[in-house]
Amino acid sequence: MAKKALITGITGQDGSYLAEFLLDRGYEVHGIIRRSSTFNTGRINHLYRDPHDKDARLFLHYGDLTDGAGLRRVVGEVSPDEVYNLAAQSHVRLSFDQPVYTAEAGAIGTLMLLEAIRDTKIETRFYQASSSEMFGQVAESPQRETTPFHPRSPYGCGKAFSHWQTVNYREAYGLFACCGILFNHESPRRGETFVTRKITRAATRIKEGLQSKLYLGNLDARRDWGYAGDFVEAMWLMLQQDQPDDFVIATGEAHTVREFAEGVFGHLGLDWKKHVALDPRYLRPAEVDELLGDASKARKQLGWAPKVTFDELVRMMTDHDWTLAKEERVLNEHRAKQGH
């Protein structure tokens, strides 16, 4: 019998890479998606087959982390061997504008899911997507599993709540539950409002003559950026261990937003200084200056290490979005010829 995994947030960046990873390992994968007036499954459409197909191994269920009864129904029906909780309102800057929704979808949503697992009494292993944003105003650098949390955003506060609830359910109820404290991880599937993808989309459109300026916030913020495809392997490895534990997952290198922009524009043969401008609207009310992770525990106990370098990640994302920009330019030229 194939192992069954349930993924919340399956339509997001991490969820899509994790679904791919698990399907490649013979899992039957179930994902929870929210009802919407438009289809939001673009990142997993290439994995999806008709659920009536006898070879189908990916199944989607409508649900919401704020609906406890619905979560219990899905958890009970699927009875997964592994649960990966990746769903959240994950945009840090936006969390200042929508703090209540961020807390409901992330913090309370995690608690609802943990309760659904406890209520249904299924035997499962649980992964919680914790975040380096929990460290916030860092007490030490690099940050490791023992570094105290000092979150500086509603998103970071919600993640800290979810983290400690997961630890509590592990200690109080014996649930095999792990928290992955993941540092920034990016890919061509990253949402376009996140700073890395915002840079690659804008720079490639500038290269193709589709726009002239890119507006950014704090260029001096330093982050430990890795590749999302590498990081989902660490999630899976945590749930394959004999004992549950929490792990920092990071590359151990920090780069500024400025360096990321320099790398992207440089790959395109452009001078970033001619095209990038500061917009105070993108500054956070409380800034996190630097996040740098120490993943030595994961290296030792999980045997995990990142494979994609910072420069490779920059090129990967830039090349992907350059293709999109070229297609957009050609389409615009075609429309112009047609008189549209």
Side-chain angles (χ1 to χ4, degrees):
M1 284 276 296
K3 274 189 175 181
K4 285 193 283 188
L6 177 64
I7 304 173
T8 72
I10 193 170
T11 59
Q13 170 189 254
D14 293 8
S16 65
Y17 280 111
L18 180 61
E20 264 179 2
F21 181 90
L22 295 174
L23 288 169
D24 285 345
R25 277 154 186 76
Y27 277 67
E28 179 180 303
V29 176
H30 295 257
I32 295 178
I33 61 172
R34 287 179 297 170
R35 281 197 183 275
S36 172
S37 59
T38 57
F39 290 109
N40 60 350
T41 55
R43 293 184 180 95
I44 57 172
N45 283 343
H46 66 292
L47 303 173
Y48 197 64
R49 303 176 69 152
D50 186 329
H52 298 105
D53 185 329
K54 63 180 177 65
D55 295 322
R57 288 189 292 113
L58 175 62
F59 304 92
L60 301 179
H61 308 262
Y62 283 114
D64 195 297
L65 283 183
T66 60
D67 175 12
L71 286 176
R72 282 193 293 276
R73 176 183 54 78
V74 174
V75 168
E77 287 177 2
V78 175
S79 192
D81 299 288
E82 298 170 3
V83 176
Y84 296 86
N85 184 33
L86 311 184
Q89 188 300 101
S90 58
H91 196 288
V92 178
R93 177 62 190 84
L94 184 61
S95 77
F96 285 100
D97 299 326
Q98 294 189 305
V100 176
Y101 173 70
T102 298
E104 287 174 346
I108 302 302
T110 301
L111 185 56
M112 292 270 200
L113 186 54
L114 287 165
E115 274 294 278
I117 291 169
R118 190 167 74 94
D119 287 349
T120 52
K121 296 181 172 59
I122 62 167
E123 284 290 323
T124 193
R125 296 187 170 202
F126 180 81
Y127 170 83
Q128 168 59 25
S130 291
S131 168
S132 59
E133 287 288 334
M134 300 186 305
F135 295 122
Q137 187 167 308
V138 300
E140 61 180 354
S141 194
Q143 295 88 57
R144 48 187 65 85
E145 291 80 6
T146 54
T147 303
F149 298 151
H150 187 154
R152 300 260 287 170
S153 66
Y155 171 79
C157 292
K159 282 295 185 182
F161 176 94
S162 295
H163 179 93
W164 287 119
Q165 287 290 2
T166 302
V167 172
N168 184 50
Y169 272 66
R170 179 171 71 213
E171 295 175 353
Y173 305 117
L175 176 64
F176 192 109
C178 302
C179 296
I181 307 173
L182 271 56
F183 279 66
N184 292 61
H185 46 290
E186 316 296 321
S187 77
R189 299 180 195 173
R190 175 55 102 180
E192 293 184 16
T193 60
F194 288 79
V195 67
T196 51
R197 189 83 196 286
K198 185 179 174 182
I199 292 169
T200 56
R201 283 293 278 144
T204 52
R205 294 186 83 251
I206 289 168
K207 177 70 175 179
E208 294 301 314
L210 298 167
Q211 71 183 74
S212 59
K213 283 287 185 183
L214 164 61
Y215 294 94
L216 295 173
N218 182 8
L219 294 174
D220 296 317
R222 290 172 59 83
R223 293 294 183 268
D224 186 327
W225 275 303
Y227 172 52
D230 288 343
F231 280 38
V232 298
E233 181 185 15
M235 302 176 187
W236 176 76
L237 284 168
M238 289 180 210
L239 299 195
Q240 313 314 308
Q241 305 304 303
D242 292 334
Q243 298 295 326
D245 206 347
D246 307 321
F247 296 88
V248 161
I249 303 299
T251 70
E253 286 183 23
H255 298 270
T256 62
V257 173
R258 181 182 288 102
E259 287 177 75
F260 196 97
E262 283 176 346
V264 172
F265 280 89
H267 185 54
L268 297 167
L270 298 172
D271 181 357
W272 72 277
K273 294 177 184 176
K274 295 180 179 179
H275 303 284
V276 175
L278 176 68
D279 188 334
R281 290 179 304 166
Y282 298 120
L283 297 173
R284 300 181 188 180
E287 184 56 79
V288 174
D289 297 319
E290 180 182 54
L291 294 173
L292 174 63
D294 176 2
S296 55
K297 179 179 173 182
R299 288 175 183 270
K300 183 179 179 181
Q301 292 183 218
L302 303 179
W304 178 86
K307 301 179 182 70
V308 176
T309 67
F310 175 78
D311 290 337
E312 289 168 344
L313 177 64
V314 168
R315 289 195 296 271
M316 176 200 304
M317 294 178 66
T318 305
D319 288 342
H320 173 272
D321 284 346
W322 199 358
T323 299
L324 294 183
K326 288 173 182 175
E327 291 172 352
E328 184 183 355
R329 176 180 53 76
V330 170
L331 181 60
N332 288 353
E333 291 170 354
H334 177 72
R335 284 174 174 165
K337 288 177 182 177
Q338 298 298 316
H340 294 303

